[in-house]
């Protein structure tokens, strides 16, 4: 299996009036050809910032201060953010599906225009060809009556349908990798499952890689082969989906799993336990492990030593913790 | 879209009718005698500008239909206006319809130039500021716009006149020449009035366009556009401007009202024989019928421009058009 994307030690900081927000503080992850991976973590832990950094879509006051994004043998961070090289990759080889289907489509342009513009730009299609291809794409993602609805405006589509349009747009130029930033948080549970199935189906068929960003570990575990768990701007555990889901080794991952219902689980068979406390303020980060204050497994070493680096605890399984829950 | 336009037109007509009622009542409810509206200043018996006997008064009162009920009088009045009969001015002694036909084109002409300069200038400045936000140019222009918005039109007019005519002697202080008679002179005479009125429009619009553009730049769909790999130019033109224009169009409609209002001052200051000047003179001469006709005309123009704004809204925003 070949590596498509190798993100190395990305640091993205926001210069706010309250101080420096270290939204992504040394994020590394790899994505293999045709693989589905999950990036999981609480709201505000830096998931969106991390993947936006990969595509250099960070706006002021944010700044990517360090790191490498290896893609096709090139470090993308060497390219200027909106230069020709970066633009040629965005939307064609690397695409993104955003969190908010309600606001991520332009309200004053028809669906057709919004799908065709990538096709015209990256595949050099003319208007007519692009239009026909758009209709095919919309059919492919399950938009009923696509010939007619292609001329509709976003407000005439339901949230789920709009997200299907976003998926069609993301797939339109046969990308090597798709980032889906919480693609299903804004839709109901049934639609959520349908959309995830659809995405899985389509990427498998095209042998495209998919990065699903979500705060719901249970959902992503079903679809992803590997999972990265983030906390306060860092990755604190990573490994095969099955290992993370069934044998988590970091106290935060354990807490995360105990706090959300699992897919397919009968209601009430297991008591949900929330993680107490709040994630730390990203401006004044403690020198120690950032999860320390909320951790139920802490030992003396935790409050003396700095935040530990990731270490291998099994085949492809890494945690950044002095305590290994399983090994305890 | 058709259904939407028809709805808007109907609403416009209703508002216009309400305006005619207001204008009619305005004059009827003025202190003094309604006969004054038709006759000008007079007094019964005693001393005054014009003296008439009580018998003559009764006769005229009946002749002008003032002894009939208000609704009947209103319908009668409306019917006349509908046929273009706006009455005859007591002070000028001329048919008011003719008077307006002579004066209004000048006001419309100056107003239109002001409007175009204001709209184009304001939009341009606003977009530049938004694209270069935080730069010294943005800061300077935004500060100037803040000042420009607060300057009263007549004050700016007088200031310009003082500087450019009195101190520097570059431009004539006042007057009006038809463009076909002497184009150079015509231009030199309209520069100051247009400038005085355009400054407020440019400033107000620039501020609005700037803030709308900044808001739109942060919109999720613009981020989507960036993620597609589009160029900044394409993103601004295709994705931002149309969205940012939606609130701006409303302000453009408002600018027409502001320009018409400003013309009342400006035409007086610069001695332009237009509609605004006609109205100021009429007010001082108690020539109510001209005031009535002027208010009605300005009201109709504003209602019409609001209708255009509504239609433009529908054209820009499918959520309104298809609702
Ligand atoms: N434009 C910005 N200005 C200042 N701080 C920002 C900005 N964008 C993000 N941040 C900071 O970066 C941190 C990470 O944000 P990010 O959007 O990546 O979170 P997330 O993990 O995607 O959360 P969510 O699940 O809510 O989408 C946040 O805590 C936020 O304070
Ligand atoms: Mg996010």
């Amino acid at each position: 299996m070949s590596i498509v994307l190798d993100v190395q030690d990305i640091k993205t900081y926001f210069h706010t009036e309250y101080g420096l927000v270290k939204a992504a503080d040394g994020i590394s992850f790899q994505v293999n050809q045709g693989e589905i991976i999950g990036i999981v973590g609480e709201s505000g832990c830096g998931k969106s910032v991390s993947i936006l950094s990969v595509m250099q879509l960070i706006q002021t006051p944010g700044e990517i201060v360090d790191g490498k994004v290896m893609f096709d043998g090139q470090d993308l961070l060497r390219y200027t953010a909106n230069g020709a090289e970066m633009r040629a990759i965005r939307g064609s080889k690397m695409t993104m599906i955003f969190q908010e289907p309600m606001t991520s489509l332009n309200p004053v342009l028809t669906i057709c225009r919004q799908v065709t513009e990538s096709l015209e730009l990256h595949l050099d299609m003319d208007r007519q060809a692009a239009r026909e291809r758009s209709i095919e794409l919309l059919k492919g993602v399950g938009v009923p009556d696509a010939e007619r609805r292609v001329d509709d405006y976003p407000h005439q589509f339901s949230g789920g349908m709009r997200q299907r349009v976003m998926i069609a747009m993301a797939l339109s130029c046969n990308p090597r990798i798709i980032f889906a930033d919480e693609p299903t948080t804004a839709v109901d549970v049934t639609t959520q499952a349908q959309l995830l199935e659809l995405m899985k189906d389509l990427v498998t068929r095209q042998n495209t890689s998919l990065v699903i960003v979500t705060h719901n570990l249970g959902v992503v575990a079903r679809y992803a082969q590997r999972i990265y768990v983030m906390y306060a701007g860092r990755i604190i555990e990573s490994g095969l989906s099955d290992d993370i889901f069934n044998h988590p080794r970091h106290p935060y991952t354990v807490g995360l799993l105990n706090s959300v219902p699992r897919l397919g689980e009968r209601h009430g068979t297991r008591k949900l336990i929330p993680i107490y406390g709040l994630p730390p303020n990203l401006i004044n980060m403690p020198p120690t492990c950032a999860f320390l204050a909320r951790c139920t497994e802490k030992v003396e070493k935790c409050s003396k030593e700095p935040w530990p680096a990731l270490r291998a605890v099994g085949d492809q399984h890494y945690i950044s913790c002095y305590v290994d829950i399983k090994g305890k | 879209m058709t259904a939407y336009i028809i709805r808007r037109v109907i609403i416009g007509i209703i508002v216009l009718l309400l305006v005619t009622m207001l204008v009619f009542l305005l004059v009827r409810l003025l202190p003094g005698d309604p006969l004054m509206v038709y006759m000008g200043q007079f007094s019964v018996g005693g001393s005054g500008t014009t003296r008439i006997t009580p018998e003559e008064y009764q006769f005229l009162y009946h002749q002008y239909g003032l002894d009939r009920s208000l609704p009947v009088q209103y319908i009668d009045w409306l019917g006349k206006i509908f046929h273009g009969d706006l009455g005859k001015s007591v002070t000028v002694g001329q048919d008011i319809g003719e008077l307006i036909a002579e004066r209004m084109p000048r006001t419309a002409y100056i107003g239109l130039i002001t409007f175009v300069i204001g709209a184009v200038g304001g939009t341009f400045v606003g977009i530049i500021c938004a694209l270069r936000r935080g730069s010294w140019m943005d800061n300077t222009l935004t500060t100037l716009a803040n000042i420009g918005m607060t300057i009263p039109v007549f004050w700016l007019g007088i200031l310009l006149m003082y500087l450019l005519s009195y101190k520097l002697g570059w431009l004539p202080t006042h007057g009006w020449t038809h463009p076909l008679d002497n184009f150079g002179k015509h231009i030199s005479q309209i520069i100051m009035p247009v400038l005085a009125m355009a400054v407020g429009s440019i400033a107000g619009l620039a501020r609005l366009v700037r803030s709308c553009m900044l808001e739109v730049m942060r919109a999720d769909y613009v981020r989507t556009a960036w993620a597609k790999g589009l160029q900044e130019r394409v993103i601004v033109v295709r994705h931002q401007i149309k969205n940012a224009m939606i609130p701006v169009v409303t302000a453009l409609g408002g600018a027409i009202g502001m320009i018409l209002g400003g013309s009342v001052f400006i035409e007086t200051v610069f001695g332009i024989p237009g509609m605004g000047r006609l109205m100021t003179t009429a007010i001082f001469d108690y020539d109510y019928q001209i005031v009535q006709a002027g208010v009605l005309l300005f009201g109709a123009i504003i209602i019409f421009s609001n209708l255009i704004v509504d239609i433009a809204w529908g054209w820009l925003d499918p959520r309104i058009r298809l609702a």
Side-chain angles (χ1 to χ4, degrees):
Chain A
M1 243 196 308
S2 62
I3 291 182
V4 171
L5 178 72
D6 187 6
V7 176
Q8 300 170 13
D9 209 24
I10 280 198
K11 294 190 170 132
T12 301
Y13 299 164
F14 286 87
H15 307 272
T16 69
E17 51 187 304
Y18 309 105
L20 192 64
V21 178
K22 298 184 175 180
D25 200 13
I27 297 291
S28 302
F29 62 92
Q30 288 82 41
V31 188
N32 295 314
Q33 170 100 41
E35 187 184 35
I36 299 180
I37 70 157
I39 296 181
V40 184
E42 275 169 297
S43 192
C45 71
K47 305 181 296 289
S48 299
V49 167
S50 300
I51 59 168
L52 287 170
S53 301
V54 171
M55 287 181 79
Q56 288 210 58
L57 289 172
I58 297 290
Q59 285 196 332
T60 48
E63 188 197 359
I64 305 170
V65 293
D66 198 13
K68 274 187 180 164
V69 175
M70 300 306 294
F71 182 70
D72 271 344
Q74 299 291 325
D75 179 7
L76 297 190
L77 295 187
R78 287 174 172 271
Y79 299 142
T80 48
N82 296 325
E85 296 99 338
M86 209 58 221
R87 280 189 276 119
I89 291 169
R90 278 185 206 147
S92 71
K93 292 183 186 162
M94 216 185 238
T95 59
M96 197 173 276
I97 297 166
F98 290 102
Q99 195 160 353
E100 286 295 332
M102 294 312 192
T103 52
S104 291
L105 290 168
N106 192 330
V108 303
L109 297 179
T110 59
I111 298 296
C112 182
R113 190 73 197 100
Q114 303 192 51
V115 182
T116 54
E117 65 180 353
S118 304
L119 298 169
E120 287 172 15
L121 179 69
H122 296 294
L123 302 182
D124 270 331
M125 288 191 186
D126 61 36
R127 278 275 163 111
Q128 193 51 40
R131 184 189 163 81
E132 274 153 25
R133 180 85 188 103
S134 306
I135 294 171
E136 277 172 38
L137 283 163
L138 291 181
K139 279 182 185 163
V141 294
V143 172
D145 202 7
E147 286 92 348
R148 205 173 50 77
R149 302 223 62 189
V150 72
D151 292 316
D152 278 357
Y153 288 90
H155 76 275
Q156 292 163 300
F157 276 55
S158 68
M161 279 300 150
R162 285 185 222 189
Q163 207 55 314
R164 282 174 197 264
V165 173
M166 290 293 291
I167 294 170
M169 290 191 334
L171 283 161
S172 62
C173 301
N174 301 313
R176 312 259 328 263
I177 183 164
I178 300 175
F179 293 97
D181 190 357
E182 313 211 24
T184 58
T185 28
V187 295
D188 63 79
V189 185
T190 327
T191 316
Q192 181 178 344
Q194 283 172 358
L195 289 175
L196 285 166
E197 282 303 331
L198 174 73
M199 279 196 280
K200 183 184 166 137
D201 236 40
L202 294 168
V203 295
T204 318
R205 212 177 303 158
Q206 295 191 2
N207 203 19
T208 299
S209 310
L210 175 66
V211 177
I212 301 177
V213 172
T214 174
H215 53 248
N216 193 335
L217 188 49
V219 166
V220 82
R222 259 173 84 127
Y223 299 95
Q225 277 115 53
R226 287 186 304 118
I227 288 176
Y228 291 86
V229 183
M230 273 187 77
Y231 188 76
R234 293 205 202 181
I235 286 167
I236 51 95
E237 180 162 10
S238 73
L240 297 174
S241 211
D242 183 55
D243 288 341
I244 301 278
F245 196 62
N246 296 317
H247 314 288
R249 306 279 275 268
H250 192 289
Y252 174 64
T253 315
V254 175
L256 207 57
L257 278 166
N258 286 338
S259 66
V260 293
R262 300 183 184 193
L263 220 59
E265 181 183 64
R266 283 245 324 276
H267 180 70
T269 44
R270 184 172 59 96
K271 196 171 184 300
L272 299 182
I273 310 158
I275 307 176
Y276 291 101
L278 288 172
N281 181 340
L282 292 179
I283 294 174
N284 291 314
M285 288 279 281
T288 57
C289 168
F291 187 60
L292 186 63
R294 304 167 77 185
C295 188
T296 51
E297 306 288 334
K298 57 182 164 245
V299 294
E300 213 185 313
K301 191 178 181 187
C302 298
S303 43
K304 289 192 180 127
E305 303 283 323
W307 198 341
L310 282 172
R311 64 183 169 109
V313 289
D315 181 34
Q316 294 197 54
H317 199 162
Y318 299 84
I319 60 171
S320 86
C321 183
Y322 293 114
V323 186
D324 177 358
I325 291 180
K326 193 187 169 203
K328 206 173 63 169
Chain B
M1 186 81 181
T2 323
Y4 171 76
I5 294 177
I6 291 173
R7 234 177 14 239
R8 292 287 127 189
V9 170
I10 291 173
I11 293 175
I13 291 172
I14 293 172
V15 176
L16 188 60
L17 278 177
L18 286 174
V19 170
T20 58
M21 278 181 210
L22 263 174
V23 168
F24 174 77
L25 285 177
L26 200 73
V27 170
R28 274 309 122 88
L29 301 177
L30 275 175
D33 199 294
L35 205 50
M36 214 149 67
V37 174
Y38 300 103
M39 295 278 304
Q41 295 292 78
F42 67 88
S43 62
V44 184
S47 60
T49 347
T50 316
R51 252 171 269 176
I52 55 172
T53 63
E55 290 73 32
E56 281 171 323
Y57 180 84
Q58 282 306 325
F59 175 74
L60 287 168
Y61 203 81
H62 179 73
Q63 202 187 18
Y64 280 110
L66 294 169
D67 48 358
R68 291 176 298 166
S69 74
L70 270 185
V72 174
Q73 288 185 44
Y74 169 68
I75 300 285
D76 188 47
W77 175 78
L78 198 62
K80 277 187 184 160
I81 286 181
F82 206 72
H83 288 105
D85 177 11
L86 292 167
K88 200 169 172 181
S89 160
V90 263
T91 50
V92 193
Q94 200 180 348
D95 182 73
I96 295 177
E98 276 172 25
L99 209 54
I100 288 178
E102 181 191 322
R103 300 294 193 98
M104 191 58 207
R106 296 170 191 154
T107 303
Y109 171 79
I110 291 186
L112 202 68
I113 295 178
T114 310
F115 179 76
V116 170
I117 292 178
V120 174
T123 310
F124 184 74
V125 172
I127 290 179
I128 293 287
C129 285
L131 291 180
R132 301 270 168 273
R133 67 192 168 284
S135 66
W136 64 266
M137 190 169 63
D138 173 31
N139 293 334
T140 319
L141 289 174
T142 310
T143 313
L144 284 178
N146 283 337
I147 298 170
M149 259 189 76
T150 53
I151 299 179
V153 173
F154 62 92
W155 188 83
L156 185 61
I158 292 168
L159 183 77
L160 284 173
M161 190 193 271
Y162 176 77
L163 283 178
L164 300 181
S165 303
Y166 182 72
K167 280 282 172 196
L168 296 169
W170 291 351
L171 296 169
T173 50
H174 69 282
W176 167 261
T177 313
H178 196 276
L180 296 181
D181 291 345
N182 183 343
F183 191 68
K185 195 170 175 197
H186 166 75
I187 293 291
S188 70
Q189 283 171 341
I190 66 165
I191 287 181
M192 286 191 291
V194 166
L195 198 61
M197 286 201 288
V199 163
S201 302
I202 294 179
L205 269 177
R207 270 170 47 108
L208 186 70
V209 169
R210 179 181 180 276
S211 68
C212 291
M213 280 299 281
L214 283 181
E215 197 180 308
V216 167
M217 276 176 184
R218 300 228 163 253
D220 287 347
Y221 54 81
V222 169
R223 192 180 54 185
T224 309
W226 280 112
K228 281 179 182 170
L230 296 168
Q231 283 185 47
E232 179 169 24
R233 190 172 47 82
V234 177
I235 293 175
V236 171
V237 172
R238 192 183 296 160
H239 288 271
Q240 293 181 355
I241 288 185
K242 220 174 160 191
N243 278 293
M245 274 329 249
I246 294 171
V248 172
V249 162
T250 317
L252 282 177
I256 292 177
M258 263 176 56
I259 289 170
L260 285 179
S263 73
V264 174
F265 297 112
I266 283 301
E267 290 181 1
T268 308
V269 171
F270 290 101
I272 295 165
M275 205 48 213
R277 169 101 173 278
L278 181 67
M279 282 182 53
T280 347
T281 327
I283 289 167
F284 287 124
D285 293 347
Y286 300 99
D287 196 335
Y288 290 126
Q289 270 182 298
I290 289 183
V291 179
Q292 210 175 19
V295 171
L296 200 57
L297 182 65
F298 280 11
I301 292 173
I302 289 170
I303 289 168
F304 184 72
S305 51
N306 281 339
L307 180 66
I308 301 289
V309 165
D310 283 346
I311 292 172
W313 252 44
W315 175 72
L316 285 170
D317 193 341
R319 286 165 296 189
I320 293 173
R321 185 194 327 149
L322 301 170

